[in-house]
Amino acid sequence: FIHRQTMANAVRFSTPELAELEARITSAADRALALELDIFATLTKEVLGEEQALAAASAALADLDHYAGLAELAVEQSYARPHVDGSLVFAIEEGRHPMVEQTLKRGDGASFIGNDCRLGSDDETRILVVTGPNMAGKSTFLRQNALIVVLAQAGCFVPAKSAHIGMVDRLFSRVGAADDLARGRSTFMVEMVETAAILNQATERSFVVLDEIGRGTATFDGLSIAWA
């Protein structure tokens, strides 16, 4: 025993074994970190050596997960396979908003009432003006059709009874009220700038969703927007 300290009612001693144990405990964290770094470096080297095989496997698993997820969603939510071609037709029968529908089911179990949308069919209708009172579902109707376009062209089944969709080159939306007062743009001016950008870029194959344009304007201001 090695004397360390004498107190009023006790004497402290140490031993070589305790000193060795103290040194091991003190250096344990550093040794553990060094060991982890060495193992990680070895693992990194082995992974890089199998880079191509691992990349191919992960890409295959990603594709499998993607398609399996879409298939499972289509079966569980009763989605329909869309007919996508080179026409200018957009014909949706009993379309549904995917997120609103699932939220209703998780809530009180209510069902989403499907609705139709037909554009570019035999009557050559290219524009729909949707009107109604507040909380009538206007925004839901607009957005659900935009989502159906995205899902169909991504290769997914769509939330509808049937869907015939011509190829869409771009999807434009002008939704909600926002301003940019720091740059001198009121809510109305932001709407006009965004609408002008859509009008300048949209083609006959573009799908455009406009939710409230020119609110608070005079009659002829609104007519000018509509004519444009």
Side-chain angles (χ1 to χ4, degrees), residues 150-201:
V150 174
L151 290 172
Q153 297 203 173
C156 181
F157 281 30
V158 299
K161 184 177 180 180
S162 67
H164 179 187
I165 303 173
M167 290 294 295
V168 174
D169 61 355
R170 293 180 181 181
L171 175 64
F172 294 97
S173 68
R174 210 242 65 81
V175 176
D179 58 48
D180 190 4
L181 299 180
R183 298 183 182 180
R185 294 179 178 179
S186 64
T187 303
F188 170 77
M189 185 55 67
V190 169
E191 290 179 358
M192 294 303 97
V193 170
E194 292 179 352
T195 304
I198 293 173
L199 292 173
N200 284 323
Q201 298 179 61

mmCIF file of all heavy atoms in Angstrom, residues 150-201:
data_model
loop_
_atom_site.group_PDB
_atom_site.id
_atom_site.type_symbol
_atom_site.label_atom_id
_atom_site.label_comp_id
_atom_site.label_asym_id
_atom_site.label_seq_id
_atom_site.Cartn_x
_atom_site.Cartn_y
_atom_site.Cartn_z
ATOM 1 N N VAL A 150 -50.265 15.761 -61.802
ATOM 2 C CA VAL A 150 -48.923 15.397 -61.347
ATOM 3 C C VAL A 150 -48.811 13.887 -61.138
ATOM 4 O O VAL A 150 -47.850 13.241 -61.580
ATOM 5 C CB VAL A 150 -48.579 16.148 -60.042
ATOM 6 C CG1 VAL A 150 -47.247 15.664 -59.479
ATOM 7 C CG2 VAL A 150 -48.534 17.644 -60.295
ATOM 8 N N LEU A 151 -49.795 13.296 -60.473
ATOM 9 C CA LEU A 151 -49.758 11.859 -60.199
ATOM 10 C C LEU A 151 -49.773 11.049 -61.491
ATOM 11 O O LEU A 151 -49.019 10.078 -61.632
ATOM 12 C CB LEU A 151 -50.955 11.468 -59.320
ATOM 13 C CG LEU A 151 -50.925 11.972 -57.873
ATOM 14 C CD1 LEU A 151 -52.256 11.687 -57.184
ATOM 15 C CD2 LEU A 151 -49.794 11.322 -57.109
ATOM 16 N N ALA A 152 -50.626 11.446 -62.429
ATOM 17 C CA ALA A 152 -50.741 10.692 -63.682
ATOM 18 C C ALA A 152 -49.436 10.711 -64.456
ATOM 19 O O ALA A 152 -48.985 9.684 -64.973
ATOM 20 C CB ALA A 152 -51.875 11.265 -64.526
ATOM 21 N N GLN A 153 -48.799 11.867 -64.540
ATOM 22 C CA GLN A 153 -47.575 11.969 -65.331
ATOM 23 C C GLN A 153 -46.353 11.450 -64.578
ATOM 24 O O GLN A 153 -45.290 11.270 -65.175
ATOM 25 C CB GLN A 153 -47.379 13.408 -65.796
ATOM 26 C CG GLN A 153 -48.490 13.867 -66.718
ATOM 27 C CD GLN A 153 -48.082 15.024 -67.624
ATOM 28 O OE1 GLN A 153 -48.827 15.407 -68.500
ATOM 29 N NE2 GLN A 153 -46.899 15.580 -67.461
ATOM 30 N N ALA A 154 -46.529 11.164 -63.280
ATOM 31 C CA ALA A 154 -45.453 10.531 -62.521
ATOM 32 C C ALA A 154 -45.544 9.012 -62.611
ATOM 33 O O ALA A 154 -44.695 8.306 -62.078
ATOM 34 C CB ALA A 154 -45.504 10.967 -61.057
ATOM 35 N N GLY A 155 -46.602 8.516 -63.283
ATOM 36 C CA GLY A 155 -46.765 7.082 -63.434
ATOM 37 C C GLY A 155 -47.614 6.436 -62.366
ATOM 38 O O GLY A 155 -47.606 5.216 -62.220
ATOM 39 N N CYS A 156 -48.334 7.246 -61.603
ATOM 40 C CA CYS A 156 -49.156 6.726 -60.518
ATOM 41 C C CYS A 156 -50.612 6.620 -60.949
ATOM 42 O O CYS A 156 -51.070 7.362 -61.824
ATOM 43 C CB CYS A 156 -49.050 7.653 -59.309
ATOM 44 S SG CYS A 156 -49.996 7.125 -57.863
ATOM 45 N N PHE A 157 -51.339 5.676 -60.363
ATOM 46 C CA PHE A 157 -52.787 5.672 -60.508
ATOM 47 C C PHE A 157 -53.328 6.924 -59.812
ATOM 48 O O PHE A 157 -52.659 7.498 -58.959
ATOM 49 C CB PHE A 157 -53.383 4.416 -59.878
ATOM 50 C CG PHE A 157 -53.256 3.187 -60.747
ATOM 51 C CD1 PHE A 157 -52.197 3.045 -61.632
ATOM 52 C CD2 PHE A 157 -54.193 2.159 -60.671
ATOM 53 C CE1 PHE A 157 -52.074 1.908 -62.429
ATOM 54 C CE2 PHE A 157 -54.080 1.022 -61.460
ATOM 55 C CZ PHE A 157 -53.020 0.896 -62.336
ATOM 56 N N VAL A 158 -54.541 7.347 -60.170
ATOM 57 C CA VAL A 158 -55.060 8.622 -59.680
ATOM 58 C C VAL A 158 -56.354 8.426 -58.893
ATOM 59 O O VAL A 158 -57.098 7.468 -59.131
ATOM 60 C CB VAL A 158 -55.294 9.608 -60.851
ATOM 61 C CG1 VAL A 158 -53.990 9.903 -61.572
ATOM 62 C CG2 VAL A 158 -56.329 9.065 -61.826
ATOM 63 N N PRO A 159 -56.640 9.351 -57.957
ATOM 64 C CA PRO A 159 -57.861 9.251 -57.162
ATOM 65 C C PRO A 159 -59.088 9.677 -57.966
ATOM 66 O O PRO A 159 -59.537 10.827 -57.890
ATOM 67 C CB PRO A 159 -57.600 10.202 -55.985
ATOM 68 C CG PRO A 159 -56.648 11.207 -56.532
ATOM 69 C CD PRO A 159 -55.776 10.462 -57.507
ATOM 70 N N ALA A 160 -59.613 8.791 -58.751
ATOM 71 C CA ALA A 160 -60.774 9.071 -59.588
ATOM 72 C C ALA A 160 -61.366 7.752 -60.060
ATOM 73 O O ALA A 160 -60.721 6.699 -59.975
ATOM 74 C CB ALA A 160 -60.379 9.929 -60.791
ATOM 75 N N LYS A 161 -62.600 7.818 -60.564
ATOM 76 C CA LYS A 161 -63.220 6.631 -61.142
ATOM 77 C C LYS A 161 -62.605 6.332 -62.500
ATOM 78 O O LYS A 161 -62.373 5.174 -62.865
ATOM 79 C CB LYS A 161 -64.729 6.839 -61.265
ATOM 80 C CG LYS A 161 -65.483 5.623 -61.780
ATOM 81 C CD LYS A 161 -66.991 5.880 -61.808
ATOM 82 C CE LYS A 161 -67.736 4.641 -62.326
ATOM 83 N NZ LYS A 161 -69.201 4.892 -62.347
ATOM 84 N N SER A 162 -62.320 7.387 -63.268
ATOM 85 C CA SER A 162 -61.616 7.253 -64.544
ATOM 86 C C SER A 162 -60.950 8.587 -64.864
ATOM 87 O O SER A 162 -61.376 9.633 -64.378
ATOM 88 C CB SER A 162 -62.576 6.853 -65.674
ATOM 89 O OG SER A 162 -63.497 7.898 -65.938
ATOM 90 N N ALA A 163 -59.897 8.527 -65.679
ATOM 91 C CA ALA A 163 -59.161 9.746 -66.026
ATOM 92 C C ALA A 163 -58.548 9.618 -67.410
ATOM 93 O O ALA A 163 -57.887 8.626 -67.708
ATOM 94 C CB ALA A 163 -58.079 10.030 -64.990
ATOM 95 N N HIS A 164 -58.810 10.611 -68.254
ATOM 96 C CA HIS A 164 -58.188 10.709 -69.573
ATOM 97 C C HIS A 164 -57.472 12.048 -69.611
ATOM 98 O O HIS A 164 -58.091 13.111 -69.564
ATOM 99 C CB HIS A 164 -59.261 10.643 -70.668
ATOM 100 C CG HIS A 164 -58.691 10.752 -72.058
ATOM 101 N ND1 HIS A 164 -59.473 10.856 -73.183
ATOM 102 C CD2 HIS A 164 -57.405 10.759 -72.515
ATOM 103 C CE1 HIS A 164 -58.709 10.945 -74.257
ATOM 104 N NE2 HIS A 164 -57.443 10.887 -73.869
ATOM 105 N N ILE A 165 -56.139 11.985 -69.674
ATOM 106 C CA ILE A 165 -55.331 13.194 -69.537
ATOM 107 C C ILE A 165 -54.351 13.309 -70.687
ATOM 108 O O ILE A 165 -53.558 12.400 -70.937
ATOM 109 C CB ILE A 165 -54.560 13.190 -68.204
ATOM 110 C CG1 ILE A 165 -55.535 13.062 -67.027
ATOM 111 C CG2 ILE A 165 -53.709 14.444 -68.051
ATOM 112 C CD1 ILE A 165 -54.852 12.888 -65.690
ATOM 113 N N GLY A 166 -54.404 14.424 -71.408
ATOM 114 C CA GLY A 166 -53.396 14.712 -72.417
ATOM 115 C C GLY A 166 -52.107 15.166 -71.751
ATOM 116 O O GLY A 166 -52.121 15.700 -70.630
ATOM 117 N N MET A 167 -50.987 14.933 -72.397
ATOM 118 C CA MET A 167 -49.699 15.307 -71.814
ATOM 119 C C MET A 167 -49.662 16.797 -71.474
ATOM 120 O O MET A 167 -50.061 17.637 -72.271
ATOM 121 C CB MET A 167 -48.567 14.975 -72.786
ATOM 122 C CG MET A 167 -48.327 13.491 -72.951
ATOM 123 S SD MET A 167 -47.716 12.719 -71.438
ATOM 124 C CE MET A 167 -46.128 13.526 -71.268
ATOM 125 N N VAL A 168 -49.180 17.107 -70.277
ATOM 126 C CA VAL A 168 -49.082 18.486 -69.796
ATOM 127 C C VAL A 168 -47.611 18.874 -69.722
ATOM 128 O O VAL A 168 -46.805 18.147 -69.125
ATOM 129 C CB VAL A 168 -49.744 18.630 -68.418
ATOM 130 C CG1 VAL A 168 -49.524 20.025 -67.856
ATOM 131 C CG2 VAL A 168 -51.236 18.330 -68.514
ATOM 132 N N ASP A 169 -47.257 19.999 -70.353
ATOM 133 C CA ASP A 169 -45.844 20.394 -70.343
ATOM 134 C C ASP A 169 -45.463 21.168 -69.087
ATOM 135 O O ASP A 169 -44.344 21.091 -68.603
ATOM 136 C CB ASP A 169 -45.495 21.202 -71.599
ATOM 137 C CG ASP A 169 -46.304 22.488 -71.724
ATOM 138 O OD1 ASP A 169 -47.211 22.723 -70.892
ATOM 139 O OD2 ASP A 169 -46.048 23.255 -72.673
ATOM 140 N N ARG A 170 -46.420 21.922 -68.531
ATOM 141 C CA ARG A 170 -46.149 22.689 -67.321
ATOM 142 C C ARG A 170 -47.418 22.810 -66.494
ATOM 143 O O ARG A 170 -48.522 22.812 -67.045
ATOM 144 C CB ARG A 170 -45.644 24.103 -67.649
ATOM 145 C CG ARG A 170 -44.277 24.157 -68.304
ATOM 146 C CD ARG A 170 -43.875 25.590 -68.580
ATOM 147 N NE ARG A 170 -42.582 25.675 -69.236
ATOM 148 C CZ ARG A 170 -42.000 26.826 -69.571
ATOM 149 N NH1 ARG A 170 -42.595 27.973 -69.338
ATOM 150 N NH2 ARG A 170 -40.815 26.815 -70.171
ATOM 151 N N LEU A 171 -47.226 22.925 -65.196
ATOM 152 C CA LEU A 171 -48.350 23.140 -64.279
ATOM 153 C C LEU A 171 -48.121 24.474 -63.578
ATOM 154 O O LEU A 171 -47.102 24.667 -62.920
ATOM 155 C CB LEU A 171 -48.423 21.999 -63.257
ATOM 156 C CG LEU A 171 -49.465 22.132 -62.153
ATOM 157 C CD1 LEU A 171 -50.869 22.130 -62.737
ATOM 158 C CD2 LEU A 171 -49.316 21.016 -61.139
ATOM 159 N N PHE A 172 -49.064 25.390 -63.738
ATOM 160 C CA PHE A 172 -48.977 26.709 -63.110
ATOM 161 C C PHE A 172 -50.076 26.850 -62.072
ATOM 162 O O PHE A 172 -51.200 26.379 -62.278
ATOM 163 C CB PHE A 172 -49.135 27.827 -64.144
ATOM 164 C CG PHE A 172 -48.031 27.909 -65.162
ATOM 165 C CD1 PHE A 172 -48.182 27.316 -66.406
ATOM 166 C CD2 PHE A 172 -46.858 28.574 -64.882
ATOM 167 C CE1 PHE A 172 -47.176 27.397 -67.363
ATOM 168 C CE2 PHE A 172 -45.839 28.651 -65.828
ATOM 169 C CZ PHE A 172 -45.999 28.064 -67.061
ATOM 170 N N SER A 173 -49.775 27.524 -60.982
ATOM 171 C CA SER A 173 -50.801 27.814 -59.984
ATOM 172 C C SER A 173 -50.582 29.206 -59.410
ATOM 173 O O SER A 173 -49.444 29.641 -59.222
ATOM 174 C CB SER A 173 -50.779 26.774 -58.854
ATOM 175 O OG SER A 173 -49.594 26.901 -58.091
ATOM 176 N N ARG A 174 -51.683 29.898 -59.188
ATOM 177 C CA ARG A 174 -51.648 31.185 -58.487
ATOM 178 C C ARG A 174 -52.735 31.095 -57.416
ATOM 179 O O ARG A 174 -53.913 31.292 -57.666
ATOM 180 C CB ARG A 174 -51.944 32.333 -59.449
ATOM 181 C CG ARG A 174 -51.241 33.630 -59.042
ATOM 182 C CD ARG A 174 -52.163 34.772 -58.728
ATOM 183 N NE ARG A 174 -52.990 34.574 -57.580
ATOM 184 C CZ ARG A 174 -52.612 34.744 -56.309
ATOM 185 N NH1 ARG A 174 -51.388 35.086 -56.031
ATOM 186 N NH2 ARG A 174 -53.467 34.541 -55.316
ATOM 187 N N VAL A 175 -52.289 30.751 -56.195
ATOM 188 C CA VAL A 175 -53.222 30.418 -55.131
ATOM 189 C C VAL A 175 -52.898 31.232 -53.885
ATOM 190 O O VAL A 175 -51.737 31.406 -53.532
ATOM 191 C CB VAL A 175 -53.146 28.907 -54.794
ATOM 192 C CG1 VAL A 175 -54.044 28.568 -53.629
ATOM 193 C CG2 VAL A 175 -53.521 28.070 -56.012
ATOM 194 N N GLY A 176 -53.933 31.737 -53.223
ATOM 195 C CA GLY A 176 -53.760 32.396 -51.931
ATOM 196 C C GLY A 176 -53.386 33.853 -52.045
ATOM 197 O O GLY A 176 -53.045 34.361 -53.118
ATOM 198 N N ALA A 177 -53.465 34.542 -50.921
ATOM 199 C CA ALA A 177 -53.161 35.975 -50.858
ATOM 200 C C ALA A 177 -51.806 36.194 -50.198
ATOM 201 O O ALA A 177 -51.504 35.616 -49.162
ATOM 202 C CB ALA A 177 -54.239 36.705 -50.064
ATOM 203 N N ALA A 178 -50.973 37.003 -50.841
ATOM 204 C CA ALA A 178 -49.656 37.332 -50.285
ATOM 205 C C ALA A 178 -49.236 38.693 -50.816
ATOM 206 O O ALA A 178 -49.663 39.102 -51.895
ATOM 207 C CB ALA A 178 -48.624 36.272 -50.661
ATOM 208 N N ASP A 179 -48.422 39.412 -50.043
ATOM 209 C CA ASP A 179 -47.914 40.702 -50.516
ATOM 210 C C ASP A 179 -46.400 40.723 -50.381
ATOM 211 O O ASP A 179 -45.793 39.844 -49.794
ATOM 212 C CB ASP A 179 -48.550 41.865 -49.739
ATOM 213 C CG ASP A 179 -48.296 41.770 -48.240
ATOM 214 O OD1 ASP A 179 -47.130 41.543 -47.844
ATOM 215 O OD2 ASP A 179 -49.252 41.929 -47.457
ATOM 216 N N ASP A 180 -45.801 41.753 -50.960
ATOM 217 C CA ASP A 180 -44.359 41.970 -50.895
ATOM 218 C C ASP A 180 -44.152 43.462 -50.711
ATOM 219 O O ASP A 180 -43.622 44.158 -51.587
ATOM 220 C CB ASP A 180 -43.694 41.455 -52.181
ATOM 221 C CG ASP A 180 -42.180 41.443 -52.068
ATOM 222 O OD1 ASP A 180 -41.661 41.752 -50.972
ATOM 223 O OD2 ASP A 180 -41.514 41.146 -53.062
ATOM 224 N N LEU A 181 -44.625 43.968 -49.562
ATOM 225 C CA LEU A 181 -44.633 45.412 -49.325
ATOM 226 C C LEU A 181 -43.234 46.009 -49.305
ATOM 227 O O LEU A 181 -43.051 47.176 -49.660
ATOM 228 C CB LEU A 181 -45.346 45.710 -47.997
ATOM 229 C CG LEU A 181 -46.820 45.275 -47.927
ATOM 230 C CD1 LEU A 181 -47.407 45.623 -46.566
ATOM 231 C CD2 LEU A 181 -47.624 45.930 -49.031
ATOM 232 N N ALA A 182 -42.236 45.223 -48.892
ATOM 233 C CA ALA A 182 -40.866 45.736 -48.845
ATOM 234 C C ALA A 182 -40.388 46.153 -50.235
ATOM 235 O O ALA A 182 -39.531 47.026 -50.370
ATOM 236 C CB ALA A 182 -39.931 44.691 -48.251
ATOM 237 N N ARG A 183 -40.933 45.518 -51.272
ATOM 238 C CA ARG A 183 -40.570 45.854 -52.654
ATOM 239 C C ARG A 183 -41.664 46.662 -53.342
ATOM 240 O O ARG A 183 -41.662 46.796 -54.565
ATOM 241 C CB ARG A 183 -40.295 44.580 -53.444
ATOM 242 C CG ARG A 183 -39.127 43.774 -52.890
ATOM 243 C CD ARG A 183 -38.850 42.551 -53.743
ATOM 244 N NE ARG A 183 -37.767 41.744 -53.192
ATOM 245 C CZ ARG A 183 -37.325 40.620 -53.731
ATOM 246 N NH1 ARG A 183 -37.875 40.168 -54.850
ATOM 247 N NH2 ARG A 183 -36.342 39.945 -53.162
ATOM 248 N N GLY A 184 -42.592 47.181 -52.543
ATOM 249 C CA GLY A 184 -43.631 48.038 -53.105
ATOM 250 C C GLY A 184 -44.732 47.293 -53.828
ATOM 251 O O GLY A 184 -45.404 47.853 -54.689
ATOM 252 N N ARG A 185 -44.934 45.997 -53.487
ATOM 253 C CA ARG A 185 -45.965 45.216 -54.163
ATOM 254 C C ARG A 185 -47.090 44.872 -53.183
ATOM 255 O O ARG A 185 -46.860 44.178 -52.191
ATOM 256 C CB ARG A 185 -45.389 43.913 -54.721
ATOM 257 C CG ARG A 185 -44.376 44.117 -55.839
ATOM 258 C CD ARG A 185 -43.835 42.779 -56.313
ATOM 259 N NE ARG A 185 -42.896 42.913 -57.425
ATOM 260 C CZ ARG A 185 -42.275 41.906 -58.007
ATOM 261 N NH1 ARG A 185 -42.490 40.677 -57.572
ATOM 262 N NH2 ARG A 185 -41.446 42.114 -59.008
ATOM 263 N N SER A 186 -48.266 45.375 -53.454
ATOM 264 C CA SER A 186 -49.434 45.035 -52.652
ATOM 265 C C SER A 186 -49.905 43.630 -53.004
ATOM 266 O O SER A 186 -49.366 42.983 -53.903
ATOM 267 C CB SER A 186 -50.557 46.031 -52.918
ATOM 268 O OG SER A 186 -50.978 45.922 -54.278
ATOM 269 N N THR A 187 -50.942 43.164 -52.295
ATOM 270 C CA THR A 187 -51.512 41.852 -52.606
ATOM 271 C C THR A 187 -51.968 41.797 -54.055
ATOM 272 O O THR A 187 -51.719 40.824 -54.773
ATOM 273 C CB THR A 187 -52.693 41.551 -51.667
ATOM 274 O OG1 THR A 187 -52.244 41.616 -50.319
ATOM 275 C CG2 THR A 187 -53.272 40.171 -51.940
ATOM 276 N N PHE A 188 -52.648 42.874 -54.492
ATOM 277 C CA PHE A 188 -53.129 42.936 -55.865
ATOM 278 C C PHE A 188 -51.966 42.892 -56.859
ATOM 279 O O PHE A 188 -52.012 42.175 -57.868
ATOM 280 C CB PHE A 188 -53.942 44.218 -56.071
ATOM 281 C CG PHE A 188 -54.279 44.502 -57.509
ATOM 282 C CD1 PHE A 188 -55.296 43.800 -58.146
ATOM 283 C CD2 PHE A 188 -53.579 45.456 -58.230
ATOM 284 C CE1 PHE A 188 -55.611 44.055 -59.468
ATOM 285 C CE2 PHE A 188 -53.885 45.705 -59.544
ATOM 286 C CZ PHE A 188 -54.900 45.010 -60.175
ATOM 287 N N MET A 189 -50.887 43.662 -56.581
ATOM 288 C CA MET A 189 -49.761 43.704 -57.516
ATOM 289 C C MET A 189 -49.057 42.351 -57.598
ATOM 290 O O MET A 189 -48.638 41.923 -58.684
ATOM 291 C CB MET A 189 -48.762 44.781 -57.091
ATOM 292 C CG MET A 189 -47.616 44.981 -58.078
ATOM 293 S SD MET A 189 -48.197 45.331 -59.762
ATOM 294 C CE MET A 189 -48.932 46.935 -59.530
ATOM 295 N N VAL A 190 -48.940 41.651 -56.453
ATOM 296 C CA VAL A 190 -48.339 40.318 -56.478
ATOM 297 C C VAL A 190 -49.169 39.395 -57.359
ATOM 298 O O VAL A 190 -48.641 38.622 -58.171
ATOM 299 C CB VAL A 190 -48.226 39.740 -55.050
ATOM 300 C CG1 VAL A 190 -47.851 38.255 -55.089
ATOM 301 C CG2 VAL A 190 -47.189 40.516 -54.246
ATOM 302 N N GLU A 191 -50.491 39.471 -57.226
ATOM 303 C CA GLU A 191 -51.368 38.644 -58.062
ATOM 304 C C GLU A 191 -51.168 38.959 -59.538
ATOM 305 O O GLU A 191 -51.118 38.057 -60.381
ATOM 306 C CB GLU A 191 -52.829 38.876 -57.678
ATOM 307 C CG GLU A 191 -53.196 38.316 -56.322
ATOM 308 C CD GLU A 191 -54.645 38.597 -55.976
ATOM 309 O OE1 GLU A 191 -55.329 39.255 -56.787
ATOM 310 O OE2 GLU A 191 -55.100 38.157 -54.908
ATOM 311 N N MET A 192 -51.060 40.244 -59.870
ATOM 312 C CA MET A 192 -50.915 40.636 -61.279
ATOM 313 C C MET A 192 -49.568 40.183 -61.847
ATOM 314 O O MET A 192 -49.491 39.719 -62.995
ATOM 315 C CB MET A 192 -51.048 42.163 -61.409
ATOM 316 C CG MET A 192 -52.434 42.706 -61.068
ATOM 317 S SD MET A 192 -53.755 41.970 -62.056
ATOM 318 C CE MET A 192 -54.362 40.706 -60.954
ATOM 319 N N VAL A 193 -48.503 40.340 -61.063
ATOM 320 C CA VAL A 193 -47.179 39.930 -61.532
ATOM 321 C C VAL A 193 -47.147 38.415 -61.771
ATOM 322 O O VAL A 193 -46.634 37.942 -62.794
ATOM 323 C CB VAL A 193 -46.093 40.338 -60.507
ATOM 324 C CG1 VAL A 193 -44.753 39.706 -60.868
ATOM 325 C CG2 VAL A 193 -45.961 41.855 -60.459
ATOM 326 N N GLU A 194 -47.715 37.645 -60.819
ATOM 327 C CA GLU A 194 -47.718 36.187 -60.975
ATOM 328 C C GLU A 194 -48.604 35.758 -62.148
ATOM 329 O O GLU A 194 -48.254 34.844 -62.892
ATOM 330 C CB GLU A 194 -48.206 35.537 -59.673
ATOM 331 C CG GLU A 194 -47.225 35.711 -58.519
ATOM 332 C CD GLU A 194 -47.724 35.082 -57.233
ATOM 333 O OE1 GLU A 194 -48.896 34.646 -57.203
ATOM 334 O OE2 GLU A 194 -46.958 35.023 -56.255
ATOM 335 N N THR A 195 -49.749 36.428 -62.302
ATOM 336 C CA THR A 195 -50.636 36.098 -63.425
ATOM 337 C C THR A 195 -49.961 36.419 -64.754
ATOM 338 O O THR A 195 -50.058 35.652 -65.717
ATOM 339 C CB THR A 195 -51.960 36.871 -63.310
ATOM 340 O OG1 THR A 195 -52.565 36.583 -62.047
ATOM 341 C CG2 THR A 195 -52.923 36.471 -64.421
ATOM 342 N N ALA A 196 -49.268 37.561 -64.826
ATOM 343 C CA ALA A 196 -48.567 37.933 -66.052
ATOM 344 C C ALA A 196 -47.483 36.916 -66.397
ATOM 345 O O ALA A 196 -47.292 36.557 -67.571
ATOM 346 C CB ALA A 196 -47.949 39.321 -65.892
ATOM 347 N N ALA A 197 -46.775 36.425 -65.372
ATOM 348 C CA ALA A 197 -45.734 35.418 -65.612
ATOM 349 C C ALA A 197 -46.344 34.144 -66.184
ATOM 350 O O ALA A 197 -45.790 33.527 -67.100
ATOM 351 C CB ALA A 197 -44.997 35.119 -64.304
ATOM 352 N N ILE A 198 -47.517 33.749 -65.666
ATOM 353 C CA ILE A 198 -48.194 32.557 -66.189
ATOM 354 C C ILE A 198 -48.615 32.768 -67.636
ATOM 355 O O ILE A 198 -48.394 31.917 -68.507
ATOM 356 C CB ILE A 198 -49.407 32.209 -65.306
ATOM 357 C CG1 ILE A 198 -48.942 31.757 -63.921
ATOM 358 C CG2 ILE A 198 -50.259 31.116 -65.962
ATOM 359 C CD1 ILE A 198 -50.067 31.560 -62.931
ATOM 360 N N LEU A 199 -49.224 33.910 -67.920
ATOM 361 C CA LEU A 199 -49.708 34.185 -69.272
ATOM 362 C C LEU A 199 -48.562 34.218 -70.283
ATOM 363 O O LEU A 199 -48.740 33.860 -71.450
ATOM 364 C CB LEU A 199 -50.468 35.512 -69.299
ATOM 365 C CG LEU A 199 -51.805 35.530 -68.542
ATOM 366 C CD1 LEU A 199 -52.366 36.945 -68.497
ATOM 367 C CD2 LEU A 199 -52.804 34.594 -69.193
ATOM 368 N N ASN A 200 -47.403 34.661 -69.851
ATOM 369 C CA ASN A 200 -46.254 34.763 -70.765
ATOM 370 C C ASN A 200 -45.564 33.420 -70.997
ATOM 371 O O ASN A 200 -44.834 33.261 -71.981
ATOM 372 C CB ASN A 200 -45.232 35.763 -70.209
ATOM 373 C CG ASN A 200 -45.676 37.203 -70.397
ATOM 374 O OD1 ASN A 200 -46.268 37.552 -71.416
ATOM 375 N ND2 ASN A 200 -45.413 38.041 -69.402
ATOM 376 N N GLN A 201 -45.780 32.445 -70.098
ATOM 377 C CA GLN A 201 -45.061 31.176 -70.214
ATOM 378 C C GLN A 201 -45.946 29.994 -70.582
ATOM 379 O O GLN A 201 -45.447 28.981 -71.079
ATOM 380 C CB GLN A 201 -44.359 30.858 -68.879
ATOM 381 C CG GLN A 201 -43.319 31.888 -68.465
ATOM 382 C CD GLN A 201 -42.691 31.536 -67.138
ATOM 383 O OE1 GLN A 201 -42.065 30.484 -66.987
ATOM 384 N NE2 GLN A 201 -42.842 32.406 -66.151
#
